[in-house]
Amino acid sequence: MNAVLEVRGVSKSFGGVVAAADLDVTVERGEIVGIIGANGAGKTTLMRAICGLLLAARGRVVLDGRDVTRLPAHRRARLGVGYMPEDRRLVPQLPVRDNILLPLWARGVADAEARLAEVLRFVPDIEPFLARPALRLSGGQQKLVALARALAAGERVLLLDEPFEGVAPALARRLAEILESLGHAGQRTILVSGSDYTHTAGLVDRLYAIERGRVEPAAPTGAG
Ligand code: ATP
């Protein structure tokens, strides 16, 4: 087995609400894995537990064989974990270019410009507005920038939290196309969440369904 990401028995509650209950998720190298569940099912909790933005009460997160469960988020980011949060979280006043480079600068990545160039091969759509402040972009354009930023930082694994949510059909197709091209290039290992199977069905190698903090392997269409 060649798992890049292993989540084992991760649990987290908020007050009395169980957000993650003994979650087991594995993503192998080069795989695109979907995690599908309704609002409040626990998708964001899982993503945040993987990138270290929340510490699980129990369980382990293993990256390329290394137990990172106790590492803070910035240390995990240095290991090449890229996260695209559902709400984008761009810095509004900063140019697009700096939004993408910021996480790399923070990590002291020496070849940040080369990374940006590499990302633009996959997301050329954003090239025309690299110098524009993020706040001047449409919501859809911001989504692409958030994806590009995650790509630049996530050379080992990409965590995409509901990238298709609230997105116009044309942009959803474009996002899927970009993820497919990444998958074909064989250089990305991706965990992508969604609230239904619409956009992920044709895209992913494997799927999990998540409900009330519990995951189970699921069929690609959600049937069975
Ligand atoms: P959504 O699509 O709405 O983001 P989700 O599948 O990502 O849903 P989570 O955000 O992981 O779900 O939430 C799982 C459960 O944990 C929900 O019941 C949510 O209300 C609760 N929860 C998540 N974060 C917190 C928090 N910081 N404080 C309190 N409860 C929380």
Side-chain angles (χ1 to χ4, degrees), residues 82-103:
Y83 176 46
M84 177 184 176
E86 192 184 349
D87 56 0
R88 306 189 294 264
R89 302 266 171 95
L90 301 179
V91 184
Q93 288 80 12
L94 276 190
V96 165
R97 169 191 203 83
D98 293 6
N99 264 285
I100 296 170
L101 291 172
L102 202 59

Side-chain angles (χ1 to χ4, degrees), residues 90-96 99 132-138 142 145:
L90 301 179
V91 184
Q93 288 80 12
L94 276 190
V96 165
N99 264 285
R132 215 179 290 171
L135 61 85
R136 298 253 176 270
L137 305 183
S138 71
Q142 290 189 28
V145 174

